[in-house]
Amino acid sequence: MHLCEKLSLCPLPGSDAECKPLQTHLLPIDEDQQQAVLGLHPQQQQRQQQQQSVELNEGPPATGKYTDIFHMFAADLGRRTSVREDQQQQAILGLHPQQQQRQQQQSVELNEGPPATGKYTDTFHMLAADLGRRTSVRREAVPEVAAVSVGQEFWIVAVGCSKGQGVGSQSEKDGLLAELKRQSSLTGNKEGPQKFEVPDGERSLLFGSFDNLISLTDDLAKSDSSVDGIVHRLERQTLELDPKAEFKVKSQRQEKPFVDYLRTWQWDEAKYPKTRSIQDILTFLMSVVNKLDEEARNKTAQYNEFKTQKGNMSKKDGANLAGKDLLDVLTPDVVKCTGGPDDDFIMTEYVTTVPVIIPRGQEEDFLKFYESTDQYVAPMSARKFEGMDDNDGNSLWRVVMFRSAVDVFKKACREKRFLAKDFEYSEEAYKKLQVQRATLEESVKRQHELVRGLYQAAWSDVMVAWMHIKAMRVFVESVLRFGMPPRFASFVLCPKATATTRARKALSDILGKQAGTFSVDDKTDSRGEDSTDDDEFFPYVSLSLTPFTCVKEK
């Protein structure tokens, strides 16, 4: 007899019988079971023999350690945990050190099959199987959402339905969806075709007259193309700032990956109320999109200006001496300037010091030359700054002279291919430059985060607007093609990139039959791999979109 039957627990796994409450007189636990399950210390065994039965459906008994164990298993296993047996026994039972060592060598996961050896593990497994059936707690499976690859194309298709209402119309849409899901060529992603809930029937959109529908066809197509360009420009700019950026759509107080958003798409009544006409909604929508695009452009210009300033003020480590800012070369830690006659830079009301860059191998020529440039150049004042030579071998010197001789000296140096620099050493100027650089660096970081957040928010809002334009196009074209009242079924799918011809054929077979006016063998129902939706005419409404076009870093 199984232990669970002997203990009057719930039925064995796989049985359809209901679990019955345990009764006290049906739960005797003898010494073998106590020792096998608990491995109790001899003193504990003596105490346990004084109390033999327990009822699991009630609270823990007042005394007796084995009753606590059975109660804890009822609570813990009811939560369907997968805690290992050795951890449960050590935490709940307080096993003896020798017993803990044995348990570490023979740990068993309760959610898996019965262990190969050990009587106590068999008992624990039976309790896990039986008591696990008594709980009503279930973990809901979360569907795995496939990522959208760069260049992956989605199709939005629609076909007219019968003019009935309610359950009949819904069942017709469900039947079409089931047929589409059975076509392997239409399942480019894991989920396959999904409903695209464009408002129709009694809750449809307002459009006015038939003439309005004709004009809306052109207006919506132009707006679709415009928003397409804005979406992908924002995508590119976002990845330029953050190559690993994650694109998520925030709509109706929920933030989702694009595929999840598309799978659960619904008309946003709060943002685009259906009490307004399609033309009014489109006008409002495009005004919002254009404002977002303009704001993104303005913030981009500001950010680029900060980056330019930072580039102009940043330290040019890779340049040679001619291209470097001497403030970064002649710093307070390398220049001697104590106010004495031996200073590297002597700066007074009438005297100044001019730094000169000497090309490789021309130091001797310069030393013979510089004193003769002007009578007010101090003789023997040329001094080389050691350790300043660049990779090209250019060296840095300084010459002391009266201020009135500076222009003559610079002109003479240019004629001899020596480069005299405009520079006056100042420790305060160096410190000020460092503060300016730190401030500008912080400003650039703030602008970077601001612009990056703006791009991602703008991308999300423009993507939401784009999907509503697609929905309005589906509505308008469906009404023009399938008539009034607006009854149509619309779906979104991702065909396999290598099977677009077969995908079109499958759509024509299913939706063309529903349309009733085109033959599935019509040559217009198939097209080449490189064709676009505008090149062919199908027996159903067909629009396409490519959400992502830029490659990002992984």
Side-chain angles (χ1 to χ4, degrees), residues 217-383:
T217 302
D218 294 333
D219 293 342
L220 285 168
K222 292 177 182 178
S223 299
D224 190 346
S225 177
S226 176
V227 176
D228 185 340
I230 294 174
V231 164
H232 293 131
R233 182 167 61 251
L234 289 171
E235 175 196 0
R236 183 182 66 255
Q237 291 172 332
T238 302
L239 291 177
E240 287 176 355
L241 291 179
D242 183 5
K244 297 182 180 181
E246 294 293 333
F247 291 92
K248 292 187 178 181
V249 181
K250 187 174 183 180
S251 176
Q252 303 184 47
R253 299 182 179 181
Q254 293 183 342
E255 189 176 66
K256 302 176 181 178
F258 174 77
V259 173
D260 200 6
Y261 167 73
L262 190 61
R263 178 175 60 86
T264 59
W265 185 89
Q266 289 184 340
W267 185 271
D268 192 340
E269 178 70 18
K271 185 176 291 186
Y272 309 111
K274 289 181 289 187
T275 55
R276 305 173 65 180
S277 67
I278 295 178
Q279 186 63 59
D280 290 342
I281 293 175
L282 180 62
T283 302
F284 169 74
L285 181 150
M286 289 306 299
S287 68
V288 172
V289 169
N290 289 329
K291 286 181 180 178
L292 288 171
D293 185 36
E294 183 180 359
E295 185 178 1
R297 291 175 184 269
N298 293 336
K299 292 299 182 182
T300 301
Q302 294 178 13
Y303 176 65
N304 289 335
E305 183 179 352
F306 275 106
K307 286 202 304 182
T308 302
Q309 294 178 10
K310 178 185 175 183
N312 294 336
M313 195 175 289
S314 61
K315 184 177 180 180
K316 300 175 178 60
D317 293 327
N320 56 22
L321 284 172
K324 287 183 178 182
D325 189 338
L326 291 186
L327 270 177
D328 296 320
V329 178
L330 301 172
T331 58
D333 57 333
V334 299
V335 173
K336 181 180 180 181
C337 192
T338 60
D342 195 37
D343 287 352
D344 290 328
F345 280 86
I346 300 175
M347 315 291 287
T348 67
E349 183 179 357
Y350 301 104
V351 178
T352 187
T353 303
V354 178
V356 184
I357 298 175
I358 310 300
R360 181 200 299 267
Q362 298 186 31
E363 289 86 353
E364 292 185 6
D365 294 339
F366 174 74
L367 292 175
K368 295 177 182 179
F369 155 79
Y370 81 94
E371 293 182 0
S372 61
T373 57
D374 192 273
Q375 60 179 340
Y376 293 109
V377 174
M380 302 179 65
S381 63
R383 178 187 299 178

Side-chain angles (χ1 to χ4, degrees), residues 57-85:
N57 287 348
E58 297 180 359
T63 59
K65 190 167 186 179
Y66 69 94
T67 58
D68 292 339
I69 296 167
F70 276 83
H71 176 73
M72 291 299 290
F73 272 123
D76 290 346
L77 293 175
R79 289 192 295 268
R80 301 181 64 83
T81 60
S82 60
V83 181
R84 289 184 177 276
E85 188 175 77

Side-chain angles (χ1 to χ4, degrees), residues 31-154:
E31 294 182 3
D32 293 338
Q33 289 176 328
Q34 292 178 18
Q35 296 178 8
V37 177
L38 309 179
L40 297 178
H41 194 273
Q43 295 180 357
Q44 295 173 330
Q45 294 182 14
Q46 184 177 3
R47 291 196 300 269
Q48 298 294 0
Q49 291 173 359
Q50 299 174 2
Q51 185 169 356
Q52 295 289 328
S53 62
V54 97
E55 183 166 324
L56 296 182
N57 287 348
E58 297 180 359
T63 59
K65 190 167 186 179
Y66 69 94
T67 58
D68 292 339
I69 296 167
F70 276 83
H71 176 73
M72 291 299 290
F73 272 123
D76 290 346
L77 293 175
R79 289 192 295 268
R80 301 181 64 83
T81 60
S82 60
V83 181
R84 289 184 177 276
E85 188 175 77
D86 57 346
Q87 296 174 344
Q88 282 185 330
Q89 290 180 347
Q90 292 178 19
I92 300 175
L93 308 181
L95 297 179
H96 192 273
Q98 294 180 355
Q99 296 167 340
Q100 292 181 10
Q101 185 177 3
R102 292 196 302 269
Q103 298 289 16
Q104 290 174 357
Q105 300 173 357
Q106 201 169 4
S107 62
V108 177
E109 282 196 11
L110 300 180
N111 286 347
E112 299 178 357
T117 60
K119 182 177 179 181
Y120 67 94
T121 53
D122 286 46
T123 307
F124 272 69
H125 175 70
M126 295 299 293
L127 288 172
D130 291 340
L131 293 177
R133 294 166 55 87
R134 301 175 64 86
T135 179
S136 60
V137 178
R138 295 292 184 268
R139 291 179 179 175
E140 296 182 358
V142 178
E144 182 180 357
V145 179
V148 182
S149 59
V150 175
Q152 187 172 355
E153 186 181 41
F154 287 81

